[in-house]
Coordinates of all heavy atoms in Angstrom, one line a residue:
M1 N 40.4 -30.5 15.4 CA 40.2 -29.8 14.1 C 39.2 -30.7 13.2 O 38.4 -30.2 12.6 CB 41.6 -29.7 13.3 CG 41.5 -28.8 12.0 SD 41.0 -27.2 12.4 CE 40.9 -26.5 10.7
K2 N 39.4 -32.0 13.5 CA 38.4 -32.8 12.6 C 37.0 -32.7 13.1 O 36.0 -32.8 12.4 CB 38.8 -34.4 12.9 CG 39.8 -34.9 11.9 CD 40.1 -36.3 12.1 CE 41.2 -36.8 11.1 NZ 41.5 -38.3 11.3
L3 N 36.9 -32.5 14.5 CA 35.6 -32.2 15.0 C 34.9 -31.0 14.4 O 33.7 -31.0 14.2 CB 35.7 -32.1 16.6 CG 34.4 -32.0 17.4 CD1 33.6 -33.4 17.2 CD2 34.6 -31.7 18.8
L4 N 35.7 -29.9 14.2 CA 35.3 -28.7 13.6 C 34.7 -29.0 12.2 O 33.6 -28.4 12.0 CB 36.3 -27.7 13.7 CG 35.8 -26.2 13.3 CD1 35.2 -25.6 14.5 CD2 37.1 -25.3 13.1
V5 N 35.4 -29.7 11.4 CA 35.0 -30.0 10.1 C 33.7 -30.8 10.1 O 32.8 -30.7 9.4 CB 36.1 -30.7 9.3 CG1 35.6 -31.3 7.9 CG2 37.3 -30.0 9.2
F6 N 33.7 -31.8 11.1 CA 32.5 -32.7 11.1 C 31.3 -31.8 11.5 O 30.1 -31.9 10.9 CB 32.8 -33.7 12.2 CG 31.5 -34.6 12.4 CD1 31.2 -35.7 11.5 CD2 30.6 -34.5 13.4 CE1 30.2 -36.5 11.6 CE2 29.6 -35.3 13.6 CZ 29.4 -36.4 12.7
A7 N 31.5 -30.8 12.4 CA 30.4 -29.9 12.9 C 29.9 -29.1 11.6 O 28.8 -28.7 11.5 CB 30.8 -29.0 14.1
A8 N 30.9 -28.6 11.0 CA 30.6 -27.7 9.7 C 29.9 -28.5 8.7 O 28.8 -27.9 8.2 CB 31.9 -27.2 9.1
V9 N 30.3 -29.7 8.5 CA 29.4 -30.6 7.5 C 28.0 -30.8 8.0 O 27.1 -30.7 7.2 CB 30.3 -31.9 7.2 CG1 29.4 -32.9 6.3 CG2 31.5 -31.6 6.4
G10 N 28.0 -31.2 9.3 CA 26.7 -31.5 9.9 C 25.8 -30.3 9.8 O 24.6 -30.3 9.4
Y11 N 26.3 -29.1 10.0 CA 25.6 -27.8 10.0 C 25.1 -27.6 8.6 O 24.1 -27.1 8.3 CB 26.4 -26.7 10.6 CG 25.7 -25.3 10.5 CD1 24.7 -25.1 11.5 CD2 25.9 -24.4 9.4 CE1 23.9 -23.9 11.4 CE2 25.3 -23.3 9.4 CZ 24.2 -23.0 10.3 OH 23.6 -21.7 10.3
A12 N 26.0 -27.8 7.6 CA 25.8 -27.7 6.2 C 24.5 -28.5 5.7 O 23.6 -27.9 5.0 CB 26.9 -27.9 5.3
I13 N 24.6 -29.8 6.2 CA 23.5 -30.6 5.9 C 22.2 -30.3 6.5 O 21.1 -30.2 5.9 CB 23.8 -32.2 6.3 CG1 25.1 -32.6 5.5 CG2 22.7 -33.0 6.2 CD1 25.7 -33.9 6.0
Y14 N 22.3 -29.9 7.8 CA 21.2 -29.3 8.6 C 20.6 -28.0 7.9 O 19.3 -28.0 7.7 CB 21.5 -29.1 9.9 CG 20.4 -28.4 10.8 CD1 19.3 -29.2 11.3 CD2 20.5 -27.0 10.9 CE1 18.4 -28.5 12.0 CE2 19.4 -26.4 11.7 CZ 18.3 -27.1 12.1 OH 17.4 -26.5 12.9
Y15 N 21.5 -27.3 7.5 CA 21.1 -25.9 6.9 C 20.3 -26.2 5.6 O 19.4 -25.6 5.2 CB 22.4 -25.1 6.6 CG 21.9 -23.7 6.1 CD1 21.4 -22.6 6.9 CD2 22.2 -23.5 4.8 CE1 21.2 -21.4 6.3 CE2 21.9 -22.1 4.3 CZ 21.4 -21.2 5.0 OH 21.1 -20.1 4.5
F16 N 21.0 -27.2 4.8 CA 20.4 -27.5 3.5 C 19.0 -28.0 3.6 O 18.1 -27.5 2.9 CB 21.3 -28.6 2.8 CG 20.7 -29.1 1.5 CD1 20.8 -28.3 0.3 CD2 20.0 -30.2 1.4 CE1 20.4 -28.8 -0.9 CE2 19.4 -30.7 0.1 CZ 19.6 -29.9 -1.0
F17 N 18.7 -28.9 4.5 CA 17.3 -29.4 4.7 C 16.3 -28.3 5.3 O 15.1 -28.3 5.0 CB 17.3 -30.6 5.5 CG 17.8 -31.9 4.8 CD1 19.0 -32.4 5.0 CD2 16.9 -32.5 3.9 CE1 19.5 -33.5 4.3 CE2 17.4 -33.5 3.2 CZ 18.6 -34.1 3.4
F18 N 17.0 -27.5 6.2 CA 16.1 -26.5 6.8 C 15.7 -25.5 5.8 O 14.5 -25.1 5.7 CB 16.9 -25.8 8.0 CG 16.2 -24.7 8.7 CD1 15.1 -25.0 9.5 CD2 16.5 -23.4 8.5 CE1 14.3 -24.0 10.1 CE2 15.8 -22.4 9.1 CZ 14.8 -22.7 9.9
R19 N 16.7 -25.1 5.0 CA 16.5 -24.0 4.0 C 15.5 -24.6 3.0 O 14.5 -23.9 2.5 CB 17.8 -23.8 3.3 CG 17.7 -22.6 2.2 CD 19.1 -22.5 1.5 NE 19.1 -21.8 0.3 CZ 19.2 -20.6 0.2 NH1 19.5 -19.7 1.3 NH2 19.1 -19.9 -1.0
K20 N 15.7 -25.9 2.6 CA 14.8 -26.5 1.6 C 13.2 -26.5 2.1 O 12.3 -26.2 1.4 CB 15.1 -27.9 1.4 CG 14.5 -28.6 0.2 CD 14.8 -30.0 0.0 CE 14.0 -30.7 -1.1 NZ 14.3 -32.2 -1.1
S21 N 13.1 -26.8 3.4 CA 11.7 -26.9 4.0 C 11.1 -25.5 4.0 O 9.9 -25.3 3.8 CB 11.7 -27.4 5.5 OG 12.4 -26.6 6.3
V22 N 11.9 -24.4 4.3 CA 11.5 -23.1 4.3 C 11.0 -22.7 2.9 O 10.1 -22.0 2.7 CB 12.7 -22.2 4.8 CG1 12.2 -20.7 4.5 CG2 12.9 -22.3 6.2
L23 N 11.9 -23.1 1.8 CA 11.6 -22.8 0.4 C 10.3 -23.5 -0.1 O 9.7 -23.0 -0.9 CB 12.8 -23.1 -0.5 CG 14.0 -22.2 -0.3 CD1 15.1 -22.8 -1.1 CD2 13.7 -20.7 -0.7
D24 N 10.0 -24.6 0.6 CA 8.8 -25.4 0.1 C 7.5 -24.7 0.6 O 6.6 -24.8 -0.1 CB 8.8 -26.9 0.7 CG 9.8 -27.7 -0.1 OD1 10.2 -27.3 -1.3 OD2 10.1 -28.8 0.4
Q25 N 7.5 -23.9 1.7 CA 6.3 -23.3 2.2 C 5.7 -22.2 1.3 O 4.6 -22.2 1.1 CB 6.7 -22.8 3.6 CG 6.9 -23.9 4.6 CD 7.1 -23.3 6.0 OE1 7.5 -22.2 6.1 NE2 7.1 -24.2 6.9
P26 N 6.5 -21.3 0.7 CA 6.0 -20.3 -0.2 C 5.3 -20.9 -1.4 O 4.2 -20.5 -1.9 CB 7.0 -19.5 -0.6 CG 8.2 -19.5 0.5 CD 7.9 -21.1 1.0
K27 N 5.8 -22.0 -1.9 CA 5.1 -22.7 -3.0 C 3.8 -23.1 -2.7 O 2.8 -23.0 -3.6 CB 5.9 -24.0 -3.4 CG 7.2 -23.7 -4.2 CD 8.0 -24.9 -4.6 CE 9.1 -24.7 -5.4 NZ 9.9 -25.9 -5.8
K28 N 3.5 -23.7 -1.5 CA 2.1 -24.1 -1.1 C 1.2 -22.8 -1.0 O 0.1 -22.9 -1.5 CB 2.1 -24.8 0.2 CG 2.8 -26.1 0.2 CD 2.7 -26.8 1.6 CE 3.5 -28.2 1.5 NZ 3.5 -28.8 2.9
G29 N 1.8 -21.7 -0.6 CA 1.1 -20.5 -0.5 C 0.7 -20.0 -1.8 O -0.4 -19.4 -2.0
N30 N 1.5 -20.2 -2.9 CA 1.2 -19.7 -4.2 C -0.1 -20.3 -4.9 O -0.7 -19.6 -5.6 CB 2.5 -20.0 -5.1 CG 3.5 -19.1 -4.9 OD1 3.4 -18.0 -4.2 ND2 4.7 -19.4 -5.5
D31 N -0.4 -21.4 -4.4 CA -1.6 -22.1 -4.9 C -2.8 -21.4 -4.4 O -3.9 -21.6 -4.9 CB -1.7 -23.5 -4.5 CG -0.6 -24.3 -5.2 OD1 -0.1 -23.9 -6.3 OD2 -0.1 -25.4 -4.7
E32 N -2.7 -20.6 -3.3 CA -3.8 -19.9 -2.6 C -3.8 -18.4 -3.0 O -4.5 -17.6 -2.2 CB -3.8 -20.2 -1.2 CG -4.0 -21.7 -0.9 CD -3.7 -22.1 0.5 OE1 -3.6 -21.2 1.4 OE2 -3.6 -23.2 0.8
V33 N -3.0 -18.0 -3.8 CA -3.0 -16.5 -4.1 C -4.2 -16.0 -4.7 O -4.8 -16.7 -5.6 CB -1.8 -16.2 -5.2 CG1 -1.9 -14.8 -5.7 CG2 -0.4 -16.3 -4.4
T34 N -4.6 -14.9 -4.2 CA -6.0 -14.4 -4.7 C -5.6 -13.6 -6.0 O -4.7 -12.8 -5.9 CB -6.5 -13.3 -3.6 OG1 -6.7 -14.1 -2.3 CG2 -7.9 -12.9 -4.1
M35 N -6.4 -13.9 -7.0 CA -6.3 -13.2 -8.2 C -7.3 -12.0 -8.2 O -8.4 -12.0 -7.9 CB -6.7 -14.0 -9.4 CG -5.9 -15.3 -9.6 SD -4.1 -15.0 -9.6 CE -4.1 -14.5 -11.5
V36 N -6.7 -10.9 -8.7 CA -7.5 -9.6 -8.8 C -7.5 -9.1 -10.2 O -6.6 -9.3 -11.0 CB -7.0 -8.6 -7.7 CG1 -7.2 -9.0 -6.2 CG2 -5.5 -8.2 -8.1
E37 N -8.6 -8.4 -10.5 CA -8.8 -7.8 -11.8 C -8.2 -6.4 -11.9 O -8.5 -5.5 -11.1 CB -10.2 -7.8 -12.2 CG -10.5 -7.5 -13.7 CD -12.0 -7.5 -14.0 OE1 -12.8 -7.3 -13.2 OE2 -12.4 -7.7 -15.2
C38 N -7.4 -6.2 -13.0 CA -6.9 -4.8 -13.1 C -8.0 -3.9 -13.6 O -8.8 -4.3 -14.4 CB -5.8 -4.8 -14.3 SG -5.2 -3.2 -14.8
S39 N -8.1 -2.9 -12.8 CA -9.4 -1.9 -13.1 C -9.1 -1.2 -14.5 O -10.2 -0.7 -14.8 CB -9.4 -0.8 -11.9 OG -9.7 -1.4 -10.7
S40 N -8.1 -1.2 -15.1 CA -7.8 -0.5 -16.3 C -8.0 -1.5 -17.5 O -8.8 -1.2 -18.4 CB -6.5 0.1 -16.3 OG -6.2 0.8 -17.6
C41 N -7.2 -2.5 -17.6 CA -7.2 -3.3 -18.8 C -7.9 -4.8 -18.5 O -7.9 -5.6 -19.4 CB -5.8 -3.6 -19.2 SG -4.7 -4.6 -18.1
K42 N -8.4 -4.9 -17.2 CA -9.3 -6.2 -17.0 C -8.4 -7.4 -17.0 O -8.9 -8.5 -17.1 CB -10.5 -6.3 -17.9 CG -11.3 -5.1 -18.0 CD -11.8 -4.6 -16.7 CE -12.7 -3.3 -16.8 NZ -13.1 -2.8 -15.5
T43 N -7.0 -7.3 -16.8 CA -6.1 -8.5 -16.8 C -6.2 -8.9 -15.4 O -6.1 -8.1 -14.4 CB -4.7 -8.1 -17.2 OG1 -4.9 -7.6 -18.5 CG2 -3.8 -9.4 -17.2
Y44 N -6.2 -10.4 -15.1 CA -6.1 -10.8 -13.9 C -4.7 -11.0 -13.4 O -3.8 -11.6 -14.2 CB -6.9 -12.2 -13.8 CG -8.4 -11.9 -13.5 CD1 -9.2 -11.8 -14.6 CD2 -8.9 -11.8 -12.3 CE1 -10.5 -11.7 -14.6 CE2 -10.2 -11.6 -12.2 CZ -11.1 -11.5 -13.2 OH -12.4 -11.3 -13.1
I45 N -4.4 -10.6 -12.3 CA -3.0 -10.7 -11.7 C -3.1 -11.1 -10.3 O -4.2 -10.9 -9.7 CB -2.2 -9.3 -11.8 CG1 -2.8 -8.2 -11.0 CG2 -1.9 -9.0 -13.3 CD1 -3.7 -7.2 -11.7
A46 N -2.0 -11.7 -9.8 CA -1.9 -12.1 -8.4 C -2.0 -10.7 -7.4 O -1.4 -9.8 -7.7 CB -0.6 -12.8 -8.0
S47 N -2.8 -10.9 -6.4 CA -3.0 -9.7 -5.5 C -1.7 -9.2 -4.9 O -1.6 -7.9 -4.7 CB -4.1 -10.0 -4.4 OG -3.6 -11.1 -3.6
D48 N -0.7 -10.1 -4.6 CA 0.6 -9.6 -4.1 C 1.4 -9.0 -5.1 O 2.4 -8.4 -4.8 CB 1.2 -10.8 -3.3 CG 1.6 -12.0 -4.2 OD1 1.0 -12.1 -5.4 OD2 2.3 -12.8 -3.9
E49 N 1.1 -9.0 -6.4 CA 1.9 -8.3 -7.5 C 1.2 -7.1 -8.0 O 1.7 -6.4 -8.8 CB 2.1 -9.3 -8.6 CG 3.2 -10.5 -8.2 CD 3.2 -11.6 -9.5 OE1 2.8 -11.3 -10.4 OE2 3.8 -12.6 -9.2
A50 N 0.0 -7.1 -7.6 CA -0.9 -5.9 -8.1 C -0.5 -4.5 -7.5 O 0.0 -4.6 -6.3 CB -2.4 -6.2 -7.9
I51 N -0.7 -3.5 -8.2 CA -0.5 -2.2 -7.6 C -1.9 -1.7 -7.1 O -2.8 -1.7 -7.9 CB 0.1 -1.2 -8.7 CG1 1.5 -1.7 -9.2 CG2 0.1 0.1 -8.2 CD1 2.0 -1.2 -10.4
V52 N -1.9 -1.3 -5.9 CA -3.2 -0.8 -5.3 C -3.1 0.8 -5.3 O -2.2 1.4 -4.7 CB -3.3 -1.3 -3.9 CG1 -4.7 -0.8 -3.4 CG2 -3.3 -2.8 -3.8
K53 N -4.1 1.3 -6.0 CA -4.2 2.8 -6.0 C -5.6 3.3 -5.8 O -6.5 2.8 -6.6 CB -3.7 3.2 -7.3 CG -3.5 4.8 -7.5 CD -2.8 5.1 -8.8 CE -2.6 6.6 -8.9 NZ -2.2 7.0 -10.3
A54 N -5.9 4.1 -4.9 CA -7.2 4.6 -4.6 C -8.2 3.4 -4.4 O -9.2 3.4 -4.9 CB -7.7 5.5 -5.7
G55 N -7.7 2.3 -3.7 CA -8.6 1.2 -3.4 C -8.9 0.3 -4.6 O -9.7 -0.7 -4.4
K56 N -8.2 0.5 -5.7 CA -8.4 -0.4 -6.9 C -7.1 -1.1 -7.3 O -6.1 -0.6 -7.0 CB -8.9 0.4 -8.0 CG -10.4 1.0 -7.9 CD -10.8 1.8 -9.1 CE -12.3 2.3 -8.9 NZ -12.6 3.0 -10.1
Y57 N -7.2 -2.2 -7.8 CA -6.0 -3.0 -8.3 C -5.7 -2.7 -9.8 O -6.5 -2.6 -10.6 CB -6.3 -4.6 -8.2 CG -6.4 -4.8 -6.7 CD1 -7.7 -5.1 -6.1 CD2 -5.3 -5.1 -5.9 CE1 -7.8 -5.6 -4.9 CE2 -5.3 -5.5 -4.6 CZ -6.5 -5.8 -4.1 OH -6.6 -6.2 -2.7
Y58 N -4.3 -2.6 -9.9 CA -3.9 -2.4 -11.3 C -2.8 -3.4 -11.6 O -2.0 -3.6 -10.6 CB -3.4 -1.0 -11.4 CG -4.4 0.0 -11.4 CD1 -4.6 0.7 -10.1 CD2 -5.2 0.4 -12.4 CE1 -5.8 1.6 -10.0 CE2 -6.3 1.4 -12.3 CZ -6.5 2.0 -11.1 OH -7.5 2.8 -10.9
C59 N -2.6 -3.9 -12.8 CA -1.5 -4.9 -13.2 C -0.2 -4.2 -13.3 O 0.8 -5.0 -13.2 CB -1.9 -5.6 -14.5 SG -1.9 -4.6 -15.9
S60 N -0.2 -2.9 -13.6 CA 1.1 -2.4 -13.9 C 1.0 -0.9 -13.5 O 0.0 -0.2 -13.3 CB 1.6 -2.4 -15.4 OG 0.7 -1.9 -16.2
Q61 N 2.2 -0.1 -13.6 CA 2.3 1.3 -13.2 C 1.6 2.0 -14.3 O 1.0 3.0 -14.0 CB 3.8 1.7 -12.9 CG 3.8 3.0 -12.2 CD 3.4 2.9 -10.7 OE1 3.8 1.9 -10.1 NE2 2.8 3.9 -10.2
A62 N 1.7 1.6 -15.5 CA 1.2 2.2 -16.6 C -0.4 2.2 -16.5 O -1.1 3.3 -16.9 CB 1.5 1.5 -18.0
C63 N -1.0 1.1 -16.1 CA -2.5 1.1 -15.9 C -2.8 1.8 -14.8 O -4.0 2.5 -14.8 CB -2.9 -0.4 -15.7 SG -3.0 -1.4 -17.3
A64 N -2.1 2.0 -13.6 CA -2.4 2.6 -12.5 C -2.5 4.3 -12.7 O -3.2 5.0 -12.2 CB -1.4 2.4 -11.3
E65 N -1.6 4.7 -13.7 CA -1.5 6.0 -14.1 C -2.5 6.5 -15.2 O -2.7 7.7 -15.4 CB 0.0 6.3 -14.4 CG 0.9 6.3 -13.2 CD 2.4 6.4 -13.8 OE1 2.6 6.5 -14.9 OE2 3.2 6.4 -12.9
S66 N -3.1 5.6 -15.9 CA -3.9 5.9 -17.0 C -5.4 6.3 -16.4 O -5.7 5.9 -15.3 CB -4.1 4.7 -17.9 OG -4.7 3.7 -17.3
Ligands
ZN1 ZN1 -3.9 -3.4 -16.5

């Protein structure tokens, strides 16, 4: 039983560090996010958050529909 607890704690520590290293990776990627200009209001937004419609980027659904 003690061995099981030790294994669980060891796994928790391993999981914590593994999870932390995984979470650190997207942060590095955020520095390289491409900024695109909204075709409607000319606001710059991250390309992964932009709405693409008819080959153009929009900052929001409202801009995309205008
Ligand atoms: Zn816009």
Side-chain angles (χ1 to χ4, degrees):
M1 194 61 187
K2 275 186 179 179
L3 189 68
L4 190 70
V5 173
F6 182 77
V9 171
Y11 179 77
I13 292 168
Y14 172 80
Y15 182 76
F16 176 78
F17 282 107
F18 178 74
R19 184 182 164 93
K20 191 184 176 189
S21 67
V22 167
L23 288 172
D24 282 345
Q25 287 177 348
K27 282 184 179 177
K28 289 180 181 177
N30 283 349
D31 294 331
E32 296 166 15
V33 165
T34 305
M35 300 301 284
V36 294
E37 187 180 28
C38 174
S39 292
S40 181
C41 68
K42 308 303 179 188
T43 300
Y44 279 89
I45 63 267
S47 61
D48 59 346
E49 292 175 11
I51 293 164
V52 183
K53 188 177 178 184
K56 292 180 178 178
Y57 290 104
Y58 296 94
C59 68
S60 65
Q61 201 66 43
C63 280
E65 290 171 358
S66 64

